Amino acid sequence: RFGKMQRETFPQFKVNELADFPLPKNPDKHRDQIAALVDKILAAKRADPNADVTALEREIDQHVYRLYGLTPEEIKIVEGSATR
């Protein structure tokens, strides 16, 4: 949305643009659940660096989608599967 890249890597935000940056309304509700999933991922990777944690990562994604109130169409865009 902002489209300004600094050194072609990082987006550059001005202070007044941050006011438009969406922030979730009730992050506390999901924080503990997301943290627990992250702990499971870290434990799995410590036990086996090649562990498949895709399902746990997907659960985190779902929490974030709910946290931001994304619609199914917005989720498709985020996941890169929306038709253009």
Side-chain angles (χ1 to χ4, degrees), residues 11-74:
Q12 178 180 350
F13 294 101
K14 304 288 184 197
V15 172
N16 62 332
E17 293 171 332
L18 288 178
D20 293 334
F21 198 78
L23 295 175
K25 300 282 188 242
N26 295 312
D28 297 342
K29 182 174 151 182
H30 295 276
R31 179 181 48 221
D32 293 340
Q33 295 167 327
I34 292 171
L37 290 166
V38 170
D39 288 341
K40 286 181 183 180
I41 290 171
L42 293 173
K45 288 296 188 176
R46 273 194 293 273
D48 176 7
N50 296 316
D52 182 8
V53 294
T54 307
L56 294 169
E57 291 171 344
R58 185 84 179 119
E59 283 186 61
I60 291 173
D61 291 345
Q62 294 304 312
H63 279 287
V64 172
Y65 298 156
R66 284 191 297 274
L67 184 62
Y68 281 91
L70 297 184
T71 65
E73 186 61 31
E74 290 168 329

